Amino acid sequence: MLREPVVEQRVNPWDIAREQFDRAAAYLDIKAGVREMLRHTKRELTVNFPVKMDDGSVRIFTGYRVHHNTVLGPSKGGIRFHPDVTLDEVRALAMWMTWKCATVGLPYGGAKGGVIVDPKTLSRTELEHLTRRYATEISLLMSPEGDIPAPDVNTNAEIMAWIMDTYSMHRGYTTPAVVTGKPLEIGGSVGRSEATGRGVMFTTLEAMKVEEIPVEGARIVVQGFGNVGSAAAYLLQDAGATVVGISDVFGGIYNPHGFDVHALLAYAKKTGTVLGYPGADQVSNRELLELPCEVLVPAAIEGQITAENAPRIQARIIAEGANGPTTPEADDILHDRGVFIIPDILCNAGGVTVSYFEWVQDLQQFFWDEGEINNRLAQIMIRSFRDVLSVTREKKVNMRTGAYIRAIDRVAKATMIRGIYP
Ligand code: GLU
């Protein structure tokens, strides 16, 4: 089946990340040099590496690991495997991780990694070889104290296990805290796999209170049915909302009366796609974004909501499960139209928050139960939402700029307190 191109024109995520930064930094009294420092990444590693394929040939792949900032602590951020990965995309994603961690108050800086590959074209053995070789190449930067990767688009717990094992083989002892999002059997945390979706659910419920939208029967549309989109969808459904539209890389489905997301998950697991689900109309990813609903959850990739389609979006709340789904021009249009956006650096911070819990548990070798994880996650997400909302009201800005103001202020202050070395 062919993948459906979602937007024809790719926007440059690094330009967008910097524009978002500039918009918020204008509200803060930051020294010009520190501001410039925060507009740059700290270090960038490009690796070109060989992988032995099943047919005996050797293919060269290109990957990146970028640290945007490490002022508040070790850098943290996922690794994505995707054919469209670029250095600028990884830079933007690393910068977003810095602001995300600062928004929810985690003692981390921001990083991101990526490999230019469509993992669906690789066998399991090839995927393992690629992962282990990439992990070896970036182990120059990776460590439990320095930089801790995690899953992102097209990577999962099994891939994190290979990274942990590769790093541990080189060190000569098992080092669980070098990566998060691992399987439970090797130091993963309960609650991690659905944590991003759970955070999306908590912040969405908070936004619905602000907007006075009753949860019962509220219509939800979700773009993306991966780790984030699927968990957000069934958790919002379990909270009483009705999921009416959902899509994956092949296209979307719509049923104004709603789906049972758990049944849809079982169906998609069997068939590999949501398409063809009984009783639903097929829609394109583009049409999906414009469906009538109360809440739209973009949970795929960057640059989906642009100046072009923003005027036609019908949702009252946009909960950004994905990183960077909305361009700054679209932000302005939607803000003017009164749409409430829960920005990515707040909305999807549940994943890195439980990654932090996982790292803490691994370092202490003392594990918590699921109730404790989910309660602490709820506390952090709800408190952060309310803190951002109050900045937003005080400064009369939108939620994204409010979150950025708070995050940038934290990192800038820490930079000044530490001082510029030497
Ligand atoms: N990839 C996820 C994100 O974009 C999680 C990162 C992490 O857990 O370190 O937030």
Side-chain angles (χ1 to χ4, degrees):
M1 198 175 317
L2 279 182
R3 276 163 182 260
E4 184 204 22
V6 180
V7 277
E8 285 86 31
Q9 244 184 333
R10 285 248 310 160
V11 282
N12 184 327
W14 183 227
D15 292 342
I16 288 175
R18 282 184 147 183
E19 185 171 341
Q20 291 166 337
F21 170 82
D22 290 340
R23 283 179 172 207
Y27 290 89
L28 290 162
D29 185 22
I30 312 174
K31 279 201 164 73
V34 172
R35 181 187 302 212
E36 215 33 46
M37 174 186 153
L38 299 178
R39 294 184 89 252
H40 285 79
T41 58
K42 178 185 172 76
R43 49 172 87 95
E44 303 175 341
L45 178 65
T46 299
V47 292
N48 301 302
F49 58 95
V51 177
K52 236 181 272 161
M53 309 304 282
D54 290 347
D55 65 3
S57 66
V58 171
R59 255 178 78 189
I60 307 298
F61 289 87
T62 298
Y64 309 99
R65 184 75 185 166
V66 171
H67 295 177
H68 169 256
N69 190 281
T70 59
V71 169
L72 290 174
S75 57
K76 189 87 191 77
I79 289 170
R80 68 172 56 178
F81 290 170
H82 196 280
D84 298 334
V85 163
T86 63
L87 181 54
D88 270 352
E89 181 192 44
V90 180
R91 286 175 172 143
L93 290 161
M95 186 196 250
W96 287 326
M97 285 309 303
T98 303
W99 312 137
K100 189 184 301 186
C101 293
T103 296
V104 291
L106 306 179
Y108 283 142
K112 204 77 173 197
V115 177
I116 306 171
V117 61
D118 180 357
K120 292 188 183 72
T121 63
L122 301 184
S123 72
R124 205 182 119 83
T125 315
E126 290 168 341
L127 186 64
E128 179 173 352
H129 288 169
L130 176 133
T131 302
R132 287 184 181 275
R133 182 64 190 241
Y134 169 71
T136 304
E137 298 290 342
I138 66 160
S139 63
L140 291 171
L141 298 186
M142 215 176 17
S143 69
E145 307 77 27
D147 178 27
I148 308 121
D152 197 76
V153 175
N154 290 335
T155 57
N156 55 25
E158 183 176 40
I159 290 173
M160 298 307 116
W162 290 330
I163 294 176
M164 186 277 246
D165 184 70
T166 301
Y167 184 87
S168 299
M169 288 299 108
H170 291 210
R171 293 284 288 257
Y173 50 88
T174 298
T175 315
V178 73
V179 64
T180 59
K182 299 179 296 295
L184 289 181
E185 294 82 350
I186 58 166
S189 177
V190 286
R192 174 62 185 88
S193 64
E194 60 178 23
T196 313
R198 190 172 288 277
V200 171
M201 182 264 288
F202 287 135
T203 52
T204 301
L205 297 185
E206 287 301 301
M208 289 170 98
K209 279 186 215 155
V210 175
E211 292 294 292
E212 297 178 359
I213 300 172
V215 183
E216 205 57 50
R219 294 165 301 169
I220 314 281
V221 169
V222 183
Q223 185 197 40
F225 205 46
N227 174 262
V228 180
S230 60
Y234 71 71
L235 290 168
L236 282 165
Q237 171 182 287
D238 295 349
T242 305
V243 178
V244 296
I246 246 173
S247 68
D248 59 27
V249 284
F250 304 113
I253 54 169
Y254 175 56
N255 181 343
H257 306 295
F259 312 111
D260 174 4
V261 180
H262 297 286
L264 178 61
L265 261 171
Y267 172 86
K269 202 172 248 171
K270 216 166 58 209
T271 63
T273 175
V274 296
L275 296 188
Y277 187 67
D281 293 335
Q282 190 167 327
V283 291
S284 67
N285 254 298
R286 175 178 283 274
E287 289 163 341
L288 181 105
L289 297 171
E290 300 169 17
L291 288 173
C293 62
E294 276 65 50
V295 181
L296 173 64
V297 184
I301 51 168
E302 310 90 66
Q304 301 302 298
I305 303 172
T306 64
E308 195 275 316
N309 59 2
R312 295 189 302 277
I313 283 182
Q314 301 189 54
R316 289 176 57 193
I317 294 171
I318 297 179
E320 294 186 337
N323 293 312
T326 312
T327 65
E329 296 74 35
D331 262 345
D332 291 340
I333 295 167
L334 292 162
H335 185 65
D336 289 346
R337 294 186 45 221
V339 179
F340 190 103
I341 299 184
I342 315 166
D344 48 6
I345 59 169
L346 170 65
C347 188
N348 71 39
V352 72
T353 300
V354 178
S355 274
Y356 166 61
F357 298 161
E358 179 175 334
W359 179 74
V360 168
Q361 293 171 87
D362 288 339
L363 291 174
Q364 297 181 339
Q365 304 194 29
F366 179 78
F367 289 85
W368 316 347
D369 64 31
E370 193 157 4
E372 183 157 12
I373 300 275
N374 289 344
N375 285 338
R376 284 179 188 262
L377 174 64
Q379 261 173 33
I380 290 178
M381 295 306 296
I382 293 168
R383 190 186 58 215
S384 303
F385 180 96
R386 291 180 184 165
D387 288 350
V388 169
L389 188 66
S390 63
V391 176
T392 299
R393 287 178 172 160
E394 186 191 314
K395 304 264 187 203
K396 304 202 171 12
V397 292
N398 64 28
M399 283 289 280
R400 186 176 328 275
T401 302
Y404 268 72
I405 288 174
R406 214 160 142 271
I408 296 168
D409 190 43
R410 278 188 168 155
V411 180
K413 280 208 175 102
T415 307
M416 294 314 293
I417 292 167
R418 286 180 60 163
I420 304 295
Y421 176 87

